Amino acid sequence: MHTSPPATVEGVAHENPALLHHFATEEQQKNAANLGMWVFLATEIMFFGGMFFAYLVYRYWYFGDFGAGSQSMNVTLGGTNTAVLICSSLTVALAVRAAQLGKQKMIVVCLILTMLLGLVFLGIKGVEYHDKFVEHHVPGPSFYFPGHVPGHVNIPINQQHAQIFFSLYFIMTGLHALHMIIGVGLFAFITLHAMRGRYHPNYYTPVETAGLYWHFVDIIWIYLFPLLYLIDRSQ
Amino acid sequence: MSEHVSSLKLYIGIWITLLIGTVLTVVVAKIPLGPFNAVVALSIATIKATLVVLFFMHVKYTHEKLTRVVIISALCWLAILLALSMADYATRLW
Amino acid sequence: MATAVIETGERETYLNKEYGIKSWLLTVDHKRIALLYLMGITFFFFIGGFFALLIRLELLTPAGDLVQADTYNKLFTMHGQIMVFFFLIPAVPAVLGNFLIPIMIGAKDLAFPRINLLSWYLYMIAGVMMLYTIINGGVDTGWTFYTPLSTEFLNTHVISAGLSIFVAGFSSILTGLNFVVTTHRMRAPGMTWSRLPLFVWAHYATSIIQLLGTPVLAITLVLVVAERLFHLGIFNPALGGDPLLFQHLFWFYSHPAVYIMILPGMGIVSEIVCCFSRKRVFGYQAMALALLGIAVVGFLVWAHHMFVAGISLYAALIFSILSYFVAVPSAIKVFNWTSTMYKGSISYQTPMLYAFGFIGLFTMGGLTGLFLASLGIDVHVTDTYFVVAHFHYIMVGGMVMAYLGGMHFWWPKISGKLYPEAWGRLAALLVFVGFNLTFFPQFVLGYMGMPRRYWDYSHSPEYQILNVLSTAGATVLAVGYLLPMVYFLWSMRYGKPAPDNPWNAAGLEWKIPSPPSTYNFEEQPVVTWEAYNYDELDKRAEEVPVAH
């Protein structure tokens, strides 16, 4: 075998308990985790992308009914939720920054704030779902969505097409909410570790990668908000 | 570590910009622009998303070109899905 | 538990380091996980094969006399779903890729060993869900789940089958993620991209497809399940939906999935052809680029599955032209394998026999694919046995051949034992003959007009002779598949101990002991040679590699 002296000295490399056996250096481990999360987010783009594609097709076909459906959404609640998520993105970014600077308490505070904001988002989402349920806007046998297409008083809403809009609304926001729940769970786990002081400027990979995931979930909402709440609002 | 630490000021600035973007999206949606309403809404969303990716997700400061490659290829693949299938939807005779 | 066996004079390997069921079920060693996968995959291969055999038996006679029509629908559905999602897609990456990629690039393990174990558990959970589906009466949608048939009209277990494949897809994504990160981050010093074995390149290209395609299948299945539960109308034309939307989403994944199945096989064949021709691969760069090219172009052609489904004619033209482009990188690969063999000193050992089989059968499968890509012929042969024969030439003739070739090639490394070479050659011959006897008649049947998925063809008994040939071939094929399983198991106990490098092959995996130790390398290897340096290797034949 063409071996020259090993590139890393094992004894030195394994001083950090967070360094797993198969990595040579902390740098390599961190880079692997970081790339892994980015690649995972790429798969998430395609996962949500499939839904955006379905949305695009039906919005193109049934624009009027989609506009009517969209106008039944509560923009105040949706807009508030957008703001809540943006705030939570800030707190995550600050948590990572605190970890970079080694401010142990600050990490915990920022992560708890993030989870609270996440729960506020889910709560508001729950209120919206409840309203839709009360109004019979949930797809199914009791679905009822009377009215006319925005801007065309003499064209009634096609119930089936409107039902497709609400189906997509519930699936897209539902899967987004599921991602939020997973994110809150991740942060709960990481907060426990942060309380025990596991993260320091040389090792904060979990905070960073979970943060990337959270920002991604935020970005999905940034698109969902105008696409679901703001179709044809000028009518 | 050699990681870039962004200033607090920058984070707050991005946060305020994102909030302004949200308000702007809602306001512009009420102005009748025809099909351009969607264009404007998606443009603002894309600007917001780009800000999050560049500053909150630190892509602007990473030395790793690969991160950018991953993001861009995912977007290209999404474009393939949308473009080629819309080629069907846009040209159907029925 | 961790009984060292050093006192018996035996070297410590990944196999004898620890004993007991826990040391396997909780292992994070990529080699042990590969063996766990091997067991699961072999199990599902024989379940799927059993269904295939029942299908062939039913078609032995024109009348539908062996099983009921509904049962037949379930048989071909379960055969397809199990073979595609539980054998073809995971087989090479999860078994051979898992075992070999870290070793080939000089790493101790994959980047995320625990995620690797998780992906095996997900695979098994998906498998249990699929078995639940089978035991409860199965599913008869066809493996493609076409809507609105699957969502509105069938009273079988579509939801559990769909969720099972959703979970299996998650497992596949995690494997792909692990491979991409490992290839980028874990390469040994000196193992540059231009020195990577083509096996690793092939898995890298495969992983790209798994990562970017599988999520689309996942969301499609979520939509199908939601549609079936709540009758939303997304895919149901009676409720304003578009069934073609389902087909677009489904084939966006499931066409590239064909390349998930075949690309790792191409990687295996590249390794085998070079080793048994004692030559550097012809056009290394072109081979690597062709792998990536297939992965990318494979994403641009999916609607050729929908030519008769009612897509727009203009879109059909575009997809038809794009489909032809897949032939370019595929042809590069076939030409380069043959050029590699040209003037090589070829030896006809079992792995090479499978590689020969792969090249020939893949070429036939690929060329008949061109028939299907052209609009006019496709209309004639869509949903006939021509299509069935075509994709079996790619998947069974291509992928399974390569998988068996790879299993024989690396079996000495995996198990530390030699398999009986004569039996190996016999099995390779049986598989080749049996395969062609099974599927070549189906090309003819299809061109004559026999539709696929029919249980009874008593309206045209002239199809019987070819169907009898096909069933006879399937029997030979079954023997050909059982033989290796028997002698591999036999060799684990009675086989001769394998030397470190039984084929005198190039590549890092042959420079470590057979079977390897848990961390593969005692010290970090540094790569100073190009891939497939057989010319140098044979010049210095007396220079035995140092085993640590």
Side-chain angles (χ1 to χ4, degrees):
Chain A
M1 192 166 165
H2 305 252
T3 32
S4 53
T8 53
V9 187
E10 303 248 334
V12 177
H14 277 255
E15 267 170 10
N16 180 354
L19 181 67
L20 296 169
H21 72 84
H22 57 296
F23 290 109
T25 61
E26 289 162 357
E27 184 81 15
Q28 189 189 25
Q29 176 169 343
K30 185 183 161 64
N31 284 341
N34 199 278
L35 178 63
M37 182 46 83
W38 277 106
V39 170
F40 178 71
L41 295 184
T43 72
E44 289 275 37
I45 289 181
M46 294 309 289
F47 183 75
F48 281 98
M51 268 182 296
F52 281 113
F53 167 42
Y55 169 89
L56 179 64
V57 167
Y58 291 123
R59 178 181 164 137
Y60 169 67
W61 276 7
Y62 308 136
F63 184 73
D65 306 300
F66 266 50
S70 175
Q71 291 185 10
S72 78
M73 299 288 157
N74 189 331
V75 178
T76 318
L77 290 184
T80 311
N81 252 352
T82 314
V84 167
L85 265 194
I86 288 172
C87 293
S88 76
S89 254
L90 175 74
T91 54
V92 168
L94 292 179
V96 176
R97 185 170 182 274
Q100 287 174 328
L101 299 174
K103 296 179 181 169
Q104 300 287 348
K105 266 192 194 152
M106 193 64 183
I107 308 178
V108 177
V109 170
C110 286
L111 288 179
I112 289 177
L113 271 179
T114 308
M115 286 189 287
L116 284 178
L117 288 166
L119 292 175
V120 167
F121 177 94
L122 290 169
I124 294 179
K125 202 73 233 158
V127 171
E128 286 187 83
Y129 279 2
H130 177 258
D131 290 349
K132 292 284 135 202
F133 197 77
V134 172
E135 292 162 9
H136 292 279
H137 290 177
V138 179
S142 66
F143 180 78
Y144 182 58
F145 190 61
H148 59 82
V149 169
H152 302 273
V153 190
N154 47 355
I155 304 179
I157 292 168
N158 182 318
Q159 293 297 303
Q160 293 179 342
H161 301 171
Q163 178 165 298
I164 290 182
F165 172 79
F166 283 102
S167 304
L168 289 171
Y169 165 77
F170 276 105
I171 294 175
M172 291 168 101
T173 56
L175 284 173
H176 176 266
L178 180 67
H179 279 78
M180 297 278 300
I181 293 168
I182 293 169
V184 171
L186 278 178
F187 279 134
F189 187 72
I190 291 169
T191 309
L192 284 181
H193 281 297
M195 283 172 168
R196 291 183 202 137
R198 267 198 68 183
Y199 305 122
H200 46 81
N202 281 332
Y203 177 71
Y204 56 92
T205 312
V207 187
E208 196 184 21
T209 43
L212 290 177
Y213 171 82
W214 191 266
H215 291 306
F216 173 80
V217 177
D218 182 21
I219 289 174
I220 292 292
W221 185 261
I222 286 177
Y223 281 95
L224 286 182
F225 175 58
L227 289 178
L228 293 171
Y229 288 73
L230 300 176
I231 306 173
D232 219 14
R233 280 276 173 182
S234 58
Q235 294 293 334
Chain B
M1 291 212 101
S2 58
E3 280 296 313
H4 177 92
V5 182
S6 304
S7 71
L8 207 56
K9 228 193 253 172
L10 179 80
Y11 279 136
I12 304 285
I14 297 295
W15 174 61
I16 291 171
T17 317
L18 291 174
L19 288 178
I20 294 172
T22 308
V23 175
L24 204 63
T25 316
V26 177
V27 172
V28 174
K30 309 231 158 124
I31 306 168
L33 297 171
F36 288 99
N37 273 119
V39 176
V40 173
L42 286 178
S43 307
I44 296 175
T46 306
I47 291 169
K48 284 164 72 183
T50 315
L51 287 176
V52 173
V53 169
L54 287 182
F55 296 100
F56 283 179
M57 297 167 96
H58 298 151
V59 170
K60 188 172 192 313
Y61 305 106
T62 180
H63 307 289
E64 193 55 72
K65 288 195 190 98
L66 198 55
T67 312
R68 274 162 236 192
V69 174
V70 171
I71 302 169
I72 290 168
S73 31
L75 294 177
C76 284
W77 254 258
L78 184 59
I80 290 172
L81 172 64
L82 297 181
L84 278 177
S85 46
M86 288 322 274
D88 169 28
Y89 282 97
T91 58
R92 279 191 201 167
L93 296 174
W94 47 275
Chain C
M1 276 263 300
T3 331
V5 264
I6 292 160
E7 63 264 28
T8 61
E10 235 181 285
R11 192 177 52 82
E12 183 179 283
T13 69
Y14 80 101
L15 288 170
N16 66 13
K17 186 172 188 235
E18 284 180 280
Y19 293 102
I21 195 114
K22 220 173 118 196
S23 75
W24 283 89
L25 291 183
L26 295 178
T27 183
V28 288
D29 180 356
H30 66 103
K31 296 179 290 299
R32 285 193 164 206
I33 295 172
L35 289 191
L36 291 175
Y37 260 117
L38 178 62
M39 287 180 241
I41 276 157
T42 311
F43 174 74
F44 281 106
F45 178 72
F46 282 105
I47 299 245
F50 173 69
F51 288 139
L53 222 52
L54 286 181
I55 293 171
R56 280 320 317 163
L57 278 177
E58 168 57 57
L59 294 175
L60 193 59
T61 55
D65 40 15
L66 181 67
V67 293
Q68 302 285 317
D70 285 344
T71 314
Y72 185 80
N73 289 346
K74 287 176 182 168
L75 286 178
F76 69 69
T77 302
M78 309 306 302
H79 167 69
Q81 287 177 348
I82 285 179
M83 284 303 200
V84 168
F85 295 108
F86 292 92
F87 176 72
L88 290 164
I89 287 176
V92 177
V95 179
L96 292 171
N98 222 335
F99 194 98
L100 292 164
I101 285 177
I103 306 180
M104 282 182 166
I105 64 173
K108 284 183 187 167
D109 205 323
L110 288 171
F112 308 116
R114 279 178 291 189
I115 288 181
N116 194 20
L117 183 64
L118 174 66
S119 87
W120 180 73
Y121 274 103
L122 287 173
Y123 171 81
M124 293 311 281
I125 291 169
V128 168
M129 288 164 78
M130 186 49 88
L131 288 177
Y132 164 86
T133 310
I134 298 171
I135 292 165
N136 273 280
V139 59
D140 58 351
T141 56
W143 79 277
T144 49
F145 286 109
Y146 266 21
T147 57
L149 180 70
S150 62
T151 51
E152 304 294 332
F153 297 104
L154 293 176
N155 196 18
T156 52
H157 297 269
V158 178
I159 291 174
S160 63
L163 291 179
S164 154
I165 289 166
F166 179 88
V167 176
F170 217 111
S171 156
S172 170
I173 288 176
L174 292 180
T175 305
L177 189 145
N178 229 332
F179 287 174
V180 164
V181 176
T182 304
T183 313
H184 274 287
R185 296 291 189 235
M186 310 293 285
R187 279 172 288 126
M191 181 52 91
T192 59
W193 285 91
S194 58
R195 285 174 178 169
L196 279 184
L198 288 170
F199 183 84
V200 179
W201 271 108
H203 278 80
Y204 186 76
T206 308
S207 302
I208 292 175
I209 307 175
Q210 284 175 312
L211 288 168
L212 294 168
T214 320
V216 178
L217 176 77
I219 188 63
T220 314
L221 291 170
V222 169
L223 291 174
V224 166
V225 169
E227 169 99 15
R228 190 172 165 89
L229 285 173
F230 305 114
H231 304 283
L232 307 173
I234 296 176
F235 297 138
N236 184 358
L239 297 175
D242 182 20
L244 286 183
L245 175 68
F246 169 83
Q247 296 185 22
H248 275 300
L249 285 167
F250 180 82
W251 288 115
F252 180 82
Y253 165 75
S254 293
H255 187 76
V258 175
Y259 305 112
I260 297 179
M261 302 171 207
I262 199 75
L263 287 177
M266 293 176 163
I268 292 174
V269 169
S270 302
E271 301 295 318
I272 295 176
V273 164
C274 291
C275 175
F276 293 96
S277 308
R278 313 304 306 167
K279 271 182 71 187
R280 192 182 292 269
V281 70
F282 182 86
Y284 173 89
Q285 268 191 328
M287 290 294 261
L289 285 176
L291 288 166
L292 293 179
I294 292 173
V296 173
V297 181
F299 270 102
L300 308 176
V301 303
W302 75 84
H304 64 219
H305 295 270
M306 303 159 62
F307 282 161
V308 298
I311 58 168
S312 96
L313 184 60
Y314 303 100
L317 286 171
I318 294 170
F319 277 106
S320 173
I321 292 165
L322 288 171
S323 300
Y324 285 117
F325 280 115
V326 183
V328 177
S330 308
I332 288 176
K333 300 215 68 88
V334 172
F335 288 134
N336 284 13
W337 286 319
T338 38
S339 309
T340 305
M341 285 188 263
Y342 178 67
K343 288 194 173 169
S345 54
I346 297 176
S347 55
Y348 297 89
Q349 268 136 322
T350 313
M352 190 60 165
L353 296 182
Y354 281 112
F356 280 136
F358 174 95
I359 296 170
L361 299 178
F362 171 75
T363 306
M364 281 187 69
L367 289 176
T368 49
L370 290 178
F371 286 42
L372 294 166
S374 71
L375 286 169
I377 300 178
D378 184 74
V379 172
H380 178 62
V381 294
T382 287
D383 277 340
T384 69
Y385 266 88
F386 191 87
V387 177
V388 176
H390 155 70
F391 69 72
H392 279 92
Y393 263 74
I394 297 289
M395 292 179 189
V396 185
M399 186 276 171
V400 180
M401 282 275 179
Y403 173 66
L404 286 174
M407 282 307 294
H408 284 85
F409 189 53
W410 284 293
W411 184 253
K413 185 57 62 184
I414 294 172
S415 69
K417 296 292 170 64
L418 294 173
Y419 63 87
E421 180 65 29
W423 283 101
R425 290 185 200 186
L426 176 69
L429 189 70
L430 283 178
V431 169
F432 185 78
V433 171
F435 172 82
N436 281 296
L437 195 55
T438 311
F439 291 104
F440 194 81
Q442 296 187 5
F443 275 128
V444 186
L445 277 172
Y447 214 80
M448 285 162 70
M450 179 166 171
R452 68 191 284 202
R453 295 183 172 173
Y454 274 35
W455 144 82
D456 171 314
Y457 54 97
S458 38
H459 60 289
S460 36
E462 69 271 20
Y463 296 149
Q464 193 181 4
I465 297 176
L466 289 166
N467 271 303
V468 169
L469 282 179
S470 183
T471 303
T475 319
V476 179
L477 196 56
V479 176
Y481 286 148
L482 281 170
L483 260 184
M485 201 181 74
V486 172
Y487 62 70
F488 277 152
L489 285 174
W490 177 87
S491 76
M492 278 166 72
R493 193 168 179 92
Y494 303 105
K496 277 186 222 152
D500 294 350
N501 191 356
W503 315 113
N504 194 17
L508 269 175
E509 77 270 30
W510 301 111
K511 297 191 197 307
I512 58 171
S514 311
S517 61
T518 298
Y519 294 140
N520 302 336
F521 301 96
E522 299 305 315
E523 50 186 48
Q524 176 72 63
V526 176
V527 180
T528 54
W529 60 91
E530 303 300 314
Y532 311 113
N533 52 343
Y534 282 103
D535 36 0
E536 292 170 42
L537 208 66
D538 289 345
K539 244 181 267 170
R540 298 185 277 104
E542 70 279 8
E543 218 178 283
V544 183
V546 184
H548 298 287

